[in-house]
Amino acid sequence: MATKSIVILGIESSCDETAAAVMRNDLLLSNIIAGQETIHHYFGGVVPELASRAHQQKIIPVVAEALNVAKVTKNDLDAIAFTRGPGLMGALLVGVSFAKSMALALEIPLIEVNHMQGHVLAHFIRKNEHPKPNNENNTSVPHRTPTFPFLCLTVSGGHTQIIRVNDYLDMKILGETQDDAAGEAFDKAAKVMGLPYPGGILIDKLASGGNERAYRFPHPQSPGYNFSFSGLKTAFLNFIRGNVEADPDFINKNKHDICASYQKTIADILINKLTIAAMDTGISEIAISGGVSANSGLRKALHEAGVKNGWNTFVAPPEFCTDNAAMISIAGYYKYLNKEFTNQRITPLARMPF
Ligand code: KG4
Ligand code: ZN
């Protein structure tokens, strides 16, 4: 007997991307993202009040486009999944309120998703209906997913976590940052170098062609599988200040080497802890997720560690690493199968453990 196909609309509004995506089971039908870079650019970081106002303006067109591209109507939807948290309260409120109203109007179930669990489940999004690797006209990538249990290093603008993933909806945080997140370490360094927000991707671009051994930065120590990036950030600030004092053109002359060395330091800190967690747990299925997992230095470091340690490693396509609603839809799909629905009394959570 053929199983019923489930069509889920996912909505993401936790920070500065207004996003909506439609999936049929685990197959992605549309993935629409409206960024807000131009709004926050001037301030050098996300301004919460401006973010929530922009979400209000964008949410209806973004959802409409997601349905349109997916070639479904709102009446085809079986459920609506939304990011309940963690994130900016005002930004979350827009997505949560919109999802609640739409589910109420359509009389369909509502599914809450933890944004960080969404990042992990991004590895299960299927992009192509019929991957045929042997057909030379077919450019689709075969769907390769981690098997349970796996470890997932989830690195974003606000979080840095090593998660043991026992099943789609059974995850345990083994360790996390005690201060700044890896994404913040990238973004703040970029700011110190005079680069615009969000600077992580710009550091990544400048790092290519640079010498990653040109400069040495400290590897802050933290207990267990936890991380700390605030010391590294301060060390970077002092390094730049000291050198610019001696030579005002220091950044411009050495930007490739500075970015390559700094990126390598962050990647090493992350992969070292991940290696310890892999050894202790005996798990050799290893994934990375979240915005920073798009970083080419981290992806390379993971690959090298995988070869050295005999891991199966998994990186998601870059569009599923940074914030998106496809990851919310896929999480919604597995929750739908588990009948994990919520109700109209649900409210956003700026901090949301799992
Ligand atoms: O997951 P995400 O899109 O949003 C949050 O949930 O925070 O992550 C955003 C973070 C930002 O700090 C951004 O600078 C960083 O991911 N990022 C990168 C790259 N692409 C995004 N950092 C380094 N290299 C990249 N290529
Ligand atoms: Zn995120």
Side-chain angles (χ1 to χ4, degrees), residues 12 14 115-116 119 156-157 290-291 321-323 327:
E12 155 63 33
S14 65
H115 180 88
M116 300 313 294
H119 273 304
S156 71
C321 294
T322 45
D323 284 352
M327 69 188 204

Side-chain angles (χ1 to χ4, degrees), residues 32 39 87 134 142 229 266:
I32 309 300
I39 297 167
N134 297 330
F229 285 102
I266 294 179

Side-chain angles (χ1 to χ4, degrees), residues 12 14-17 86 115-116 119 155-159 182-187 197-205 263 289-296 321-324 327:
E12 155 63 33
S14 65
C15 190
D16 61 342
E17 333 272 0
H115 180 88
M116 300 313 294
H119 273 304
V155 268
S156 71
H159 294 79
E184 272 173 280
F186 271 109
D187 295 340
Y197 179 87
I201 190 162
L202 300 173
I203 293 204
D204 193 352
K205 282 188 183 139
Q263 176 169 290
S289 66
V292 178
S293 71
N295 181 267
S296 52
C321 294
T322 45
D323 284 352
N324 64 86
M327 69 188 204

Side-chain angles (χ1 to χ4, degrees), residues 10-212:
I11 292 174
E12 155 63 33
S13 74
S14 65
C15 190
D16 61 342
E17 333 272 0
T18 317
V22 178
M23 296 189 87
R24 174 169 284 116
N25 298 338
D26 61 347
L27 179 68
L28 186 63
L29 302 182
S30 66
N31 188 27
I32 309 300
I33 303 173
Q36 306 178 357
E37 288 84 1
T38 49
I39 297 167
H40 304 292
H41 184 94
Y42 173 80
F43 302 94
V46 176
V47 184
E49 180 58 30
L50 294 183
S52 50
R53 283 190 217 171
H55 284 306
Q56 280 181 322
Q57 286 169 355
K58 291 175 183 207
I59 192 133
I60 292 174
V62 164
V63 168
E65 197 181 342
L67 295 175
N68 201 14
V69 172
K71 296 191 173 60
V72 300
T73 71
K74 57 186 187 313
N75 296 320
D76 296 321
L77 298 176
D78 291 294
I80 298 179
F82 65 94
T83 300
R84 183 181 183 196
L88 302 170
M89 182 50 89
L92 289 165
L93 259 172
V94 178
V96 174
S97 312
F98 185 91
K100 282 165 70 172
S101 323
M102 192 162 172
L104 183 68
L106 295 171
E107 297 181 27
I108 55 175
L110 193 55
I111 301 168
E112 64 166 282
V113 174
N114 181 305
H115 180 88
M116 300 313 294
Q117 291 192 334
H119 273 304
V120 174
L121 295 175
H123 284 279
F124 297 96
I125 300 166
R126 197 155 57 87
K127 264 172 94 173
N128 308 100
E129 182 101 53
H130 299 297
K132 292 184 196 119
N134 297 330
N135 176 348
E136 60 186 32
N137 294 325
N138 190 346
T139 53
S140 61
V141 181
H143 193 220
R144 182 176 165 269
T145 57
T147 49
F148 301 113
F150 67 93
L151 293 183
C152 190
L153 170 74
T154 307
V155 268
S156 71
H159 294 79
T160 304
Q161 303 173 326
I162 295 180
I163 301 171
R164 182 190 163 108
V165 189
N166 297 317
D167 206 340
Y168 298 109
L169 303 175
D170 177 6
M171 306 182 192
K172 187 172 183 292
I173 298 171
L174 301 183
E176 59 192 328
T177 187
Q178 299 184 312
D179 40 56
D180 290 351
E184 272 173 280
F186 271 109
D187 295 340
K188 286 179 180 166
K191 200 169 179 179
V192 169
M193 290 179 71
L195 300 169
Y197 179 87
I201 190 162
L202 300 173
I203 293 204
D204 193 352
K205 282 188 183 139
L206 287 171
S208 84
N211 175 5
E212 57 188 29

Side-chain angles (χ1 to χ4, degrees), residues 6 47 62 123 142 196 215 252 285 337 351:
I6 298 153
V47 184
V62 164
H123 284 279
Y215 304 104
N252 197 31
E285 294 279 300
L337 295 180
R351 290 174 179 273

